[in-house]
């Protein structure tokens, strides 16, 4: 795709392939009241002098206040703080009413239990297309040692949770599966009785094995997302690891794409597959995904994915 005909949505999706952390940027307004918003466009810049940057959309409700602030802080959220990310990403009137925080030396709000925080003096505001870059000179910081909350492909992920789940499942006989998505539809195999695409696990990276299988199956480009379901199959004695995955445009060699909410009367190969498809249909509507842990009949869903919006 050339610069002359770049599709903004496609470009945003491509940027989303890069995993980032999730932060809440905070400052004081002219009346001394706390303001804050969720952002994942944050990075370190320099150790000497100590500089960092974060990007702010020109359409942000905080634009005027942030670009005129003398100080701001970056709160790197921890794995357990998805709810805080959501709160500061939405147009909530008083975002600080439901969180615990204290003011740092220069007055910027510092949220409790974050992975790390940095309070900065405003070094420079740089124009950058439909955003501005806020360059900050770090005046003080703290590293709690907690693990940060991750974000990629439009959703949150918690690295330790994912690695523990895969490690536990790979101790036995494994089947790797995928909820393979494209434009809100999922790929199913079969004619009268349907199944998710799946393959036998073997030694090596589960995501690479699954990706190779899906690309060979469909003839399309495939990207593996994050864990969607980890369960023990009582009927087949296998550990099942199901990922969300995403595919390019084109006609697949095998299978067909279906809208998940149109599959209520469809017959599936297993009850577990039916449950996965039904859950995916519901979570797609509300935009809040999770990871299921359990067996074919009972388990728990831990929410780990909701889209981050800059506010």
């Amino acid at each position: 795709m050339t610069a002359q005909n770049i599709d903004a949505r496609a470009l945003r999706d491509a940027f989303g392939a890069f995993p980032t952390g999730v932060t809440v940027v905070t400052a004081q307004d002219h009346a001394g009241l706390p303001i804050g918003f969720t952002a994942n466009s944050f990075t370190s810049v320099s150790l000497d002098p100590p500089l960092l940057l974060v990007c702010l959309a020109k359409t942000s409700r905080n634009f005027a206040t942030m670009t005129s602030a003398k100080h701001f802080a970056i709160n790197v959220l921890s794995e357990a703080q998805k709810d805080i990310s959501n709160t500061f990403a939405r147009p909530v009137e008083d975002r600080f009413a439901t969180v615990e925080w204290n003011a740092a030396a220069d007055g910027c709000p510092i949220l409790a239990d974050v992975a790390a925080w940095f309070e900065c003096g405003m070094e420079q505001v740089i124009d950058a297309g439909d955003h501005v870059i806020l360059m900050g000179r770090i005046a003080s910081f703290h590293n709690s040692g907690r693990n940060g909350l991750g974000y990629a492909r439009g959703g949150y992920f918690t690295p330790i949770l994912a690695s523990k789940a895969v490690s536990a499942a790979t101790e036995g006989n494994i089947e790797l599966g995928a909820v393979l998505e494209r434009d809100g539809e999922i790929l199913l195999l079969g004619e009268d009785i349907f199944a998710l695409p799946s393959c036998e696990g073997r030694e090596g990276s589960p995501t690479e094995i699954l990706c190779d299988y899906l690309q060979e199956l469909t003839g399309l480009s495939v990207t593996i997302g994050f864990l969607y379901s980890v369960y023990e199959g009582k009927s087949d004695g296998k550990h099942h690891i199901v990922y969300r995955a995403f595919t390019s445009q084109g006609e697949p060699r095998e299978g067909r794409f279906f809208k998940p909410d149109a599959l209520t009367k469809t017959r599936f190969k297993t009850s577990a597959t039916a449950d996965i498809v039904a859950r995916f249909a519901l979570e797609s509507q509300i935009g809040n995904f999770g990871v299921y842990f359990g067996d074919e009949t009972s388990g728990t869903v831990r929410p780990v994915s909701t889209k981050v919006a800059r506010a």
Side-chain angles (χ1 to χ4, degrees):
M1 191 171 287
T2 65
Q4 288 74 27
N5 64 351
I6 284 180
D7 181 285
R9 176 61 183 272
L11 179 60
R12 182 174 181 175
D13 290 345
F15 281 149
F18 181 65
T20 68
V22 184
T23 73
V24 170
V25 183
T26 59
Q28 286 185 334
D29 66 13
H30 300 298
L33 298 175
I35 64 168
F37 61 94
T38 300
N40 64 336
S41 53
F42 153 75
T43 187
S44 59
V45 174
S46 170
L47 294 176
D48 186 16
L51 300 173
L52 56 75
L53 67 80
V54 67
C55 296
L56 173 68
K58 291 180 178 178
T59 55
S60 169
R61 60 187 280 182
N62 299 300
F63 181 81
T65 302
M66 288 300 307
T67 53
S68 62
K70 293 183 178 180
H71 304 92
F72 68 91
I74 303 292
N75 294 265
V76 181
L77 299 186
S78 65
E79 284 187 314
Q81 294 183 312
K82 293 181 290 294
D83 289 345
I84 292 177
S85 173
N86 292 335
T87 296
F88 281 84
R90 296 167 181 158
V92 179
E93 190 61 31
D94 186 359
R95 297 171 172 178
F96 289 87
T98 59
V99 298
E100 182 181 347
W101 64 278
N102 291 291
D106 289 314
C108 296
I110 303 300
L111 306 182
D113 300 324
V114 294
W117 60 263
F118 309 86
E119 188 177 42
C120 308
M122 186 71 77
E123 183 80 359
Q124 194 175 0
V125 178
I126 304 168
D127 186 78
D130 55 11
H131 282 61
V132 293
I133 299 169
L134 307 180
M135 184 83 71
R137 181 182 288 256
I138 300 166
S140 58
F141 70 94
H142 176 70
N143 177 13
S144 72
R146 296 180 177 89
N147 293 297
L149 178 63
Y151 187 79
R153 294 289 183 193
Y156 298 127
F157 66 96
T158 52
I160 283 187
L161 179 63
S163 64
K164 284 183 177 179
V166 173
S167 176
T170 54
E171 293 177 359
N173 192 13
I174 313 158
E175 183 169 285
L176 304 173
V179 178
L180 186 57
E181 307 173 42
R182 187 179 69 191
D183 298 332
E185 299 184 334
I186 61 173
L187 184 94
L188 295 175
L189 304 177
E191 294 297 332
D192 299 320
I193 300 176
F194 293 94
L196 294 171
S198 62
C199 65
E200 292 296 319
R202 60 181 187 275
E203 185 175 350
S205 166
T207 56
E208 291 180 4
I209 293 167
L210 183 60
C211 186
D212 289 344
Y213 161 74
L214 293 172
Q215 292 187 148
E216 178 64 26
L217 177 76
T218 63
L220 304 174
S221 176
V222 172
T223 301
I224 304 298
F226 302 107
L227 280 174
Y228 191 64
S229 188
V230 179
Y231 67 94
E232 181 182 357
K234 293 182 177 179
S235 58
D236 60 13
K238 295 180 180 180
H239 291 290
H240 294 260
I241 307 175
V242 181
Y243 288 85
R244 290 179 67 194
F246 308 87
T247 184
S248 61
Q249 297 296 322
E251 189 67 24
R253 289 178 187 152
E254 300 286 341
R256 289 177 289 162
F257 284 95
F258 297 87
K259 290 191 177 299
D261 57 1
L263 296 169
T264 54
K265 296 183 179 180
T266 302
R267 296 174 62 196
F268 292 98
K269 185 177 179 179
T270 67
S271 60
T273 300
D275 290 342
I276 289 172
V277 173
R279 179 165 67 90
F280 182 78
L282 175 62
E283 291 177 338
S284 296
Q285 291 177 359
I286 63 177
N288 191 11
F289 296 92
V291 180
Y292 173 88
F293 295 91
D295 56 36
E296 288 176 309
T297 57
S298 64
T300 59
V301 177
R302 303 184 190 182
V304 295
S305 177
T306 299
K307 290 190 175 181
V308 172
R310 295 183 183 89

PDB file of all heavy atoms in Angstrom, residues 103-118:
ATOM      1  N   ALA A 103      -0.687  13.057  45.022  1.00  0.00           N
ATOM      2  CA  ALA A 103       0.030  14.024  44.199  1.00  0.00           C
ATOM      3  C   ALA A 103       1.537  13.858  44.377  1.00  0.00           C
ATOM      4  O   ALA A 103       2.030  13.683  45.491  1.00  0.00           O
ATOM      5  CB  ALA A 103      -0.383  15.446  44.560  1.00  0.00           C
ATOM      6  N   ALA A 104       2.263  13.899  43.276  1.00  0.00           N
ATOM      7  CA  ALA A 104       3.726  13.876  43.322  1.00  0.00           C
ATOM      8  C   ALA A 104       4.246  15.265  43.654  1.00  0.00           C
ATOM      9  O   ALA A 104       3.471  16.197  43.908  1.00  0.00           O
ATOM     10  CB  ALA A 104       4.276  13.374  41.989  1.00  0.00           C
ATOM     11  N   ALA A 105       5.553  15.432  43.652  1.00  0.00           N
ATOM     12  CA  ALA A 105       6.179  16.674  44.108  1.00  0.00           C
ATOM     13  C   ALA A 105       5.681  17.898  43.352  1.00  0.00           C
ATOM     14  O   ALA A 105       5.497  18.973  43.929  1.00  0.00           O
ATOM     15  CB  ALA A 105       7.696  16.555  43.981  1.00  0.00           C
ATOM     16  N   ASP A 106       5.443  17.760  42.041  1.00  0.00           N
ATOM     17  CA  ASP A 106       4.985  18.891  41.241  1.00  0.00           C
ATOM     18  C   ASP A 106       3.477  18.881  41.019  1.00  0.00           C
ATOM     19  O   ASP A 106       2.965  19.579  40.133  1.00  0.00           O
ATOM     20  CB  ASP A 106       5.712  18.907  39.889  1.00  0.00           C
ATOM     21  CG  ASP A 106       7.176  19.305  40.054  1.00  0.00           C
ATOM     22  OD1 ASP A 106       7.451  20.279  40.778  1.00  0.00           O
ATOM     23  OD2 ASP A 106       8.042  18.628  39.460  1.00  0.00           O
ATOM     24  N   GLY A 107       2.752  18.088  41.817  1.00  0.00           N
ATOM     25  CA  GLY A 107       1.302  18.132  41.813  1.00  0.00           C
ATOM     26  C   GLY A 107       0.594  17.168  40.893  1.00  0.00           C
ATOM     27  O   GLY A 107      -0.637  17.091  40.897  1.00  0.00           O
ATOM     28  N   CYS A 108       1.328  16.398  40.096  1.00  0.00           N
ATOM     29  CA  CYS A 108       0.674  15.485  39.156  1.00  0.00           C
ATOM     30  C   CYS A 108       0.125  14.261  39.886  1.00  0.00           C
ATOM     31  O   CYS A 108       0.800  13.701  40.753  1.00  0.00           O
ATOM     32  CB  CYS A 108       1.650  15.035  38.077  1.00  0.00           C
ATOM     33  SG  CYS A 108       2.229  16.375  37.020  1.00  0.00           S
ATOM     34  N   PRO A 109      -1.076  13.814  39.543  1.00  0.00           N
ATOM     35  CA  PRO A 109      -1.653  12.639  40.202  1.00  0.00           C
ATOM     36  C   PRO A 109      -0.873  11.358  39.879  1.00  0.00           C
ATOM     37  O   PRO A 109      -0.593  11.072  38.705  1.00  0.00           O
ATOM     38  CB  PRO A 109      -3.070  12.565  39.627  1.00  0.00           C
ATOM     39  CG  PRO A 109      -3.372  13.950  39.166  1.00  0.00           C
ATOM     40  CD  PRO A 109      -2.064  14.473  38.664  1.00  0.00           C
ATOM     41  N   ILE A 110      -0.546  10.598  40.911  1.00  0.00           N
ATOM     42  CA  ILE A 110       0.107   9.301  40.777  1.00  0.00           C
ATOM     43  C   ILE A 110      -0.857   8.237  41.298  1.00  0.00           C
ATOM     44  O   ILE A 110      -1.277   8.279  42.456  1.00  0.00           O
ATOM     45  CB  ILE A 110       1.429   9.246  41.572  1.00  0.00           C
ATOM     46  CG1 ILE A 110       2.373  10.363  41.125  1.00  0.00           C
ATOM     47  CG2 ILE A 110       2.066   7.867  41.420  1.00  0.00           C
ATOM     48  CD1 ILE A 110       2.766  10.323  39.653  1.00  0.00           C
ATOM     49  N   LEU A 111      -1.224   7.299  40.439  1.00  0.00           N
ATOM     50  CA  LEU A 111      -2.186   6.269  40.805  1.00  0.00           C
ATOM     51  C   LEU A 111      -1.536   5.188  41.665  1.00  0.00           C
ATOM     52  O   LEU A 111      -0.353   4.867  41.493  1.00  0.00           O
ATOM     53  CB  LEU A 111      -2.776   5.633  39.548  1.00  0.00           C
ATOM     54  CG  LEU A 111      -3.390   6.602  38.529  1.00  0.00           C
ATOM     55  CD1 LEU A 111      -3.967   5.822  37.358  1.00  0.00           C
ATOM     56  CD2 LEU A 111      -4.452   7.478  39.173  1.00  0.00           C
ATOM     57  N   ALA A 112      -2.297   4.623  42.565  1.00  0.00           N
ATOM     58  CA  ALA A 112      -1.791   3.565  43.442  1.00  0.00           C
ATOM     59  C   ALA A 112      -1.587   2.274  42.663  1.00  0.00           C
ATOM     60  O   ALA A 112      -2.314   1.979  41.710  1.00  0.00           O
ATOM     61  CB  ALA A 112      -2.774   3.335  44.589  1.00  0.00           C
ATOM     62  N   ASP A 113      -0.583   1.507  43.065  1.00  0.00           N
ATOM     63  CA  ASP A 113      -0.340   0.140  42.587  1.00  0.00           C
ATOM     64  C   ASP A 113       0.010   0.042  41.105  1.00  0.00           C
ATOM     65  O   ASP A 113      -0.195  -0.998  40.476  1.00  0.00           O
ATOM     66  CB  ASP A 113      -1.558  -0.756  42.873  1.00  0.00           C
ATOM     67  CG  ASP A 113      -1.886  -0.835  44.353  1.00  0.00           C
ATOM     68  OD1 ASP A 113      -0.933  -0.834  45.156  1.00  0.00           O
ATOM     69  OD2 ASP A 113      -3.079  -0.890  44.697  1.00  0.00           O
ATOM     70  N   VAL A 114       0.541   1.111  40.529  1.00  0.00           N
ATOM     71  CA  VAL A 114       0.971   1.038  39.133  1.00  0.00           C
ATOM     72  C   VAL A 114       2.309   0.306  39.044  1.00  0.00           C
ATOM     73  O   VAL A 114       3.016   0.121  40.039  1.00  0.00           O
ATOM     74  CB  VAL A 114       1.091   2.446  38.505  1.00  0.00           C
ATOM     75  CG1 VAL A 114      -0.281   3.089  38.415  1.00  0.00           C
ATOM     76  CG2 VAL A 114       2.054   3.333  39.298  1.00  0.00           C
ATOM     77  N   ALA A 115       2.675  -0.121  37.835  1.00  0.00           N
ATOM     78  CA  ALA A 115       3.953  -0.801  37.637  1.00  0.00           C
ATOM     79  C   ALA A 115       5.114   0.170  37.810  1.00  0.00           C
ATOM     80  O   ALA A 115       6.161  -0.176  38.361  1.00  0.00           O
ATOM     81  CB  ALA A 115       3.998  -1.450  36.257  1.00  0.00           C
ATOM     82  N   ALA A 116       4.935   1.396  37.327  1.00  0.00           N
ATOM     83  CA  ALA A 116       5.946   2.446  37.467  1.00  0.00           C
ATOM     84  C   ALA A 116       5.279   3.782  37.198  1.00  0.00           C
ATOM     85  O   ALA A 116       4.197   3.843  36.589  1.00  0.00           O
ATOM     86  CB  ALA A 116       7.100   2.230  36.492  1.00  0.00           C
ATOM     87  N   TRP A 117       5.908   4.861  37.661  1.00  0.00           N
ATOM     88  CA  TRP A 117       5.412   6.196  37.330  1.00  0.00           C
ATOM     89  C   TRP A 117       6.582   7.157  37.122  1.00  0.00           C
ATOM     90  O   TRP A 117       7.684   6.947  37.631  1.00  0.00           O
ATOM     91  CB  TRP A 117       4.449   6.747  38.382  1.00  0.00           C
ATOM     92  CG  TRP A 117       4.993   6.898  39.790  1.00  0.00           C
ATOM     93  CD1 TRP A 117       4.843   6.022  40.812  1.00  0.00           C
ATOM     94  CD2 TRP A 117       5.748   7.996  40.308  1.00  0.00           C
ATOM     95  NE1 TRP A 117       5.465   6.496  41.950  1.00  0.00           N
ATOM     96  CE2 TRP A 117       6.019   7.706  41.664  1.00  0.00           C
ATOM     97  CE3 TRP A 117       6.220   9.201  39.783  1.00  0.00           C
ATOM     98  CZ2 TRP A 117       6.741   8.577  42.487  1.00  0.00           C
ATOM     99  CZ3 TRP A 117       6.946  10.077  40.589  1.00  0.00           C
ATOM    100  CH2 TRP A 117       7.198   9.753  41.927  1.00  0.00           C
ATOM    101  N   PHE A 118       6.317   8.196  36.334  1.00  0.00           N
ATOM    102  CA  PHE A 118       7.313   9.211  36.018  1.00  0.00           C
ATOM    103  C   PHE A 118       6.637  10.580  36.057  1.00  0.00           C
ATOM    104  O   PHE A 118       5.639  10.787  35.367  1.00  0.00           O
ATOM    105  CB  PHE A 118       7.891   9.018  34.611  1.00  0.00           C
ATOM    106  CG  PHE A 118       8.392   7.625  34.331  1.00  0.00           C
ATOM    107  CD1 PHE A 118       7.521   6.641  33.882  1.00  0.00           C
ATOM    108  CD2 PHE A 118       9.730   7.301  34.518  1.00  0.00           C
ATOM    109  CE1 PHE A 118       7.975   5.355  33.620  1.00  0.00           C
ATOM    110  CE2 PHE A 118      10.190   6.016  34.254  1.00  0.00           C
ATOM    111  CZ  PHE A 118       9.309   5.044  33.814  1.00  0.00           C
TER     112      PHE A 118
END
